[in-house]
Amino acid sequence: MKMLQNLTLIINSPLEQFEVNSLISVIAPIFGYINITLSNLGLYSILILFIILSLHIISNNENKILPSKWSIAIESIFTTINTMVREQLGKEIYLPFIYSLFFFILISNLIGNIPYSYTITTSVIVTIGLSFTILTGVTILGLYIHKLHFFSYFVPSGTPLALVPLLVLIEIVSYLARALSLGIRLFANMVAGHSLLKILSTFLYQMFNSSFIIAILTLIPFAFFIALCVLEVAVSTIQAYVFVLLVISYIKDAIYLH
């Protein structure tokens, strides 16, 4: 029975880190008993905004001749994003949005790699909300630029007339699926990586607390665990890059109807 309880704890514990919990709750009678709640999701969202602003303030050269390391790092990221936007879209008007989106996802993912922290991109509400909002904005952009000609995007060129209804239905479903695939891709990758690290860390903790010989032998899998932690940091960065790259491709489709 005790072994079963320990097994249940090991299985359930990886999911606990993804729960949205209320940290502070205030009932305001003066406003009609409105319940004002600050959750860990809201707290980390504010923290991420503060970190992004702080990084850009620190990286400000203030007309210095020699740039700081922070300035070089931020300028390198800006140059990379700017190159992506100019090559794919040819217009820098979308640069502030893409740049802000990349930094938001990047910092959100990296903060989640800190032990006992919370990763807001493991919340499906955040990821699906982002992807749904982006798809809505891209659709409005396409309608604004092309008017009714935008709907030609759902009719592949050279399609026989008899297959038009079927292909239009398939294209519409494929287009709307972007609202899910974009967010679920980010959500699934972050949840899978954090769950794996949580499970491995639980087993390693139990092995380190056992006999001395087993604790010494555990150093070998612990080295692999450290390598996985480094890999998860790389995945966090790559996922932010892939997310904005897909957003750029969606905007490009709306502009040029590819």
Side-chain angles (χ1 to χ4, degrees):
M1 185 65 181
K2 184 177 181 181
M3 183 180 298
L4 182 60
Q5 291 177 351
N6 292 334
L7 180 61
T8 304
L9 178 61
I10 294 175
I11 295 176
N12 293 335
S13 58
L15 301 180
E16 294 178 0
Q17 59 182 318
F18 309 129
E19 295 179 356
V20 178
N21 300 316
S22 176
L23 302 178
I24 301 174
S25 182
V26 178
I27 299 178
I30 192 173
F31 297 111
Y33 292 95
I34 296 178
N35 189 357
I36 303 174
T37 302
L38 178 64
S39 63
N40 52 353
L41 176 60
L43 176 63
Y44 275 89
S45 299
I46 297 173
L47 178 62
I48 290 166
L49 176 61
F50 175 77
I51 291 176
I52 293 174
L53 293 177
S54 300
L55 285 176
H56 286 78
I57 292 174
I58 293 173
S59 63
N60 187 6
N61 276 330
E62 297 180 354
N63 298 323
K64 294 180 180 178
I65 298 177
L66 296 178
S68 63
K69 294 180 180 180
W70 289 108
S71 178
I72 294 174
I74 297 298
E75 288 178 3
S76 299
I77 295 175
F78 177 82
T79 302
T80 303
I81 301 298
N82 187 28
T83 303
M84 291 169 53
V85 173
R86 293 184 62 182
E87 290 181 352
Q88 297 294 325
L89 303 178
K91 300 178 181 179
E92 294 186 356
I93 188 175
Y94 306 104
L95 178 60
F97 170 69
I98 299 299
Y99 181 77
S100 302
L101 183 64
F102 175 79
F103 252 98
F104 174 75
I105 297 175
L106 177 64
I107 301 301
S108 300
N109 292 346
L110 292 179
I111 285 181
N113 293 308
I114 300 174
Y116 302 104
S117 64
Y118 180 76
T119 313
I120 67 173
T121 47
T122 58
S123 174
V124 70
I125 298 299
V126 174
T127 56
I128 296 297
L130 275 176
S131 59
F132 181 81
T133 304
I134 290 170
L135 183 66
T136 302
V138 167
T139 304
I140 295 173
L141 176 64
L143 289 172
Y144 175 78
I145 296 175
H146 304 285
K147 305 300 188 293
L148 294 178
H149 183 64
F150 173 75
F151 294 100
S152 64
Y153 175 79
F154 303 104
V155 184
S157 59
T159 303
L161 185 62
L163 296 178
V164 167
L166 178 61
L167 290 181
V168 167
L169 179 61
I170 294 175
E171 290 293 331
I172 291 176
V173 172
S174 176
Y175 183 81
L176 295 178
R178 294 178 174 182
L180 294 176
S181 63
L182 185 64
I184 289 178
R185 181 183 290 105
L186 176 61
F187 165 78
N189 279 280
M190 299 311 300
V191 168
H194 284 58
S195 298
L196 177 61
L197 292 180
K198 179 66 175 181
I199 293 172
L200 292 178
S201 62
T202 301
F203 280 112
L204 289 174
Y205 177 78
Q206 293 179 349
M207 293 175 70
F208 274 122
N209 285 337
S210 57
S211 63
F212 178 77
I213 298 178
I214 295 179
I216 295 298
L217 295 176
T218 306
L219 293 176
I220 298 176
F222 181 73
F224 287 100
F225 175 76
I226 296 299
L228 286 176
C229 291
V230 175
L231 178 62
E232 186 64 18
V233 173
V235 169
S236 300
T237 305
I238 293 172
Q239 286 303 313
Y241 177 80
V242 170
F243 193 94
V244 297
L245 189 63
L246 291 174
V247 172
I248 290 174
S249 67
Y250 295 163
I251 297 176
K252 182 178 180 181
D253 291 342
I255 296 175
Y256 303 106
L257 295 182
H258 287 173

